[in-house]
């Protein structure tokens, strides 16, 4: 095992209690490891520990949506009401599936809807009736609300619950055996803790960290997936090899292409492009790199031209989300990993 990445992550444990990482290609893992404890003062994190992936859930749900489009069950340019009739006639009726995937829908970003809308029905109604921040297609604004709607669209088009669609279209074809949404009984007995949450009055361990996702029942389009290092590593290998187990080459190419030309930020379909100079993973990766980060301290990035993947999993919100420094660690991790 190499020491560059272990040394970096071991010296920054004040930002989290545990970290896991993997770097490699479709055929070979170049470096990987796990260090730290599942919570401060708790048992050691292991290969079997499950991490709250937070918004790394979004590209997994995006793959589901694109796979359904391949099967003719939806169109990427379908307007929202085609699958969610309650949106007909309102200010969101012209929003398309593609705009939701590319974060150009005009829907707001990280609004804490759970505070005033403590039931699933009330929270979804708040999304339906809330104001747009901009006209669809005119601006990139990262929106969890948009991916909540994509989860509902996938369920309507696929005629199945979202967790089943993720299993059928992503985890099983990729060979993932320890990835899923949180509510399954006993699934998260070995979860890595996240925040000492003021809203819940306890340290969160085994429940999704995102509060809006809690209100929605834990299975939703924007957050909620948990996985082991090995499973995220395997997904990275599938993507680095061209995602042939998941999508046709043309569909995969469309997902990772930039769909926001002329706008300030580079976004694919459910994937983030490399925004220079403000990329969360720095500038050492190739310009065509794509990936996603999660608020809990997770990330998965891929360099398609080099056929490489990069996984970094931490619980940087433990015990508090206010501890600064994960941005610097992410950038340094990818800078060092890119030259392995």
């Amino acid at each position: 095992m190499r020491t560059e990445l272990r040394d970096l992550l071991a010296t920054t444990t004040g930002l989290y209690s545990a970290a896991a990482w993997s770097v490699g290609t479709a055929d070979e893992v170049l470096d990987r490891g796990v260090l730290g404890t599942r919570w401060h003062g708790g048992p050691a994190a292991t290969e079997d520990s499950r991490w709250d992936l937070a918004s790394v859930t979004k590209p997994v749900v995006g793959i589901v949506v694109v796979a359904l489009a391949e099967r003719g069950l939806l169109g990427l340019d379908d307007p929202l009401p085609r699958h969610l009739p309650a949106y007909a006639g309102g200010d969101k009726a012209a929003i398309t599936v593609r705009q939701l995937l590319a974060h150009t829908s005009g829907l707001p970003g990280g609004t804490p809807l759970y505070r005033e809308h403590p039931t699933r029905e009330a929270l979804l109604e708040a999304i339906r009736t809330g104001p747009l921040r901009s006209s669809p297609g005119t601006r990139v604004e990262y929106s969890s609300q948009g991916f909540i709607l994509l989860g509902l669209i996938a369920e309507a088009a696929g005629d199945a619950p979202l967790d089943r669609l993720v299993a059928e279209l992503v985890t099983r074809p990729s060979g993932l055996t320890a990835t899923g949404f949180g509510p399954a009984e006993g699934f998260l007995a070995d979860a890595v803790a996240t925040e000492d949450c003021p809203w819940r009055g306890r340290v969160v361990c085994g429940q999704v960290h995102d509060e809006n996702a809690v209100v929605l029942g834990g299975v939703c389009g924007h957050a909620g997936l948990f996985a082991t290092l090995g499973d995220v590593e395997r997904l990275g290998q599938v993507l680095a090899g061209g995602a042939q187990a998941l999508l046709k080459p043309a569909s995969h190419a469309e997902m990772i292409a930039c769909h926001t030309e002329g706008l300030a930020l580079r976004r694919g379909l459910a994937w983030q492009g490399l925004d220079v100079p403000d990329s969360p993973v720095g500038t050492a990766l190739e310009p065509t790199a794509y990936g996603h980060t999660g608020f809990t301290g997770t990330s998965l990035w891929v360099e398609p031209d080099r056929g490489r993947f990069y996984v970094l999993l931490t619980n940087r919100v433990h015990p508090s989300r206010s501890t600064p420094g994960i941005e610097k660690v992410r950038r340094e991790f990818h800078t060092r990993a890119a030259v392995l």
Side-chain angles (χ1 to χ4, degrees), residues 138-164:
T138 63
R139 181 169 173 258
V140 176
E141 178 172 358
Y142 183 78
S143 176
S144 286
Q145 291 187 27
F147 272 76
I148 291 171
L149 296 185
L150 282 167
L152 299 177
I153 289 169
E155 291 183 328
D159 193 27
L162 184 61
D163 52 354
R164 188 189 306 169

Side-chain angles (χ1 to χ4, degrees), residues 202-290:
R202 61 179 173 84
V203 174
V204 178
C205 188
Q207 184 186 45
V208 60
H209 174 261
D210 184 276
E211 297 94 339
N212 288 334
V214 173
V215 172
L216 292 171
V219 180
C220 40
H222 73 297
L225 281 177
F226 288 75
T228 60
L229 171 64
D231 267 18
V232 186
E233 174 185 88
R234 178 57 190 155
L235 180 58
Q237 289 186 303
V238 169
L239 295 169
Q244 295 177 20
L246 301 172
L247 298 168
K248 297 175 182 176
S251 298
H252 177 57
E254 185 165 19
M255 272 201 86
I256 66 176
C258 180
H259 288 257
T260 56
E261 294 292 348
L263 302 179
L265 300 171
R266 295 182 61 81
R267 295 294 179 268
L269 300 181
W271 292 109
Q272 181 175 351
L274 203 66
D275 296 323
V276 178
D278 297 321
S279 167
V281 296
T283 58
L285 303 188
E286 62 184 12
T288 55
Y290 66 92

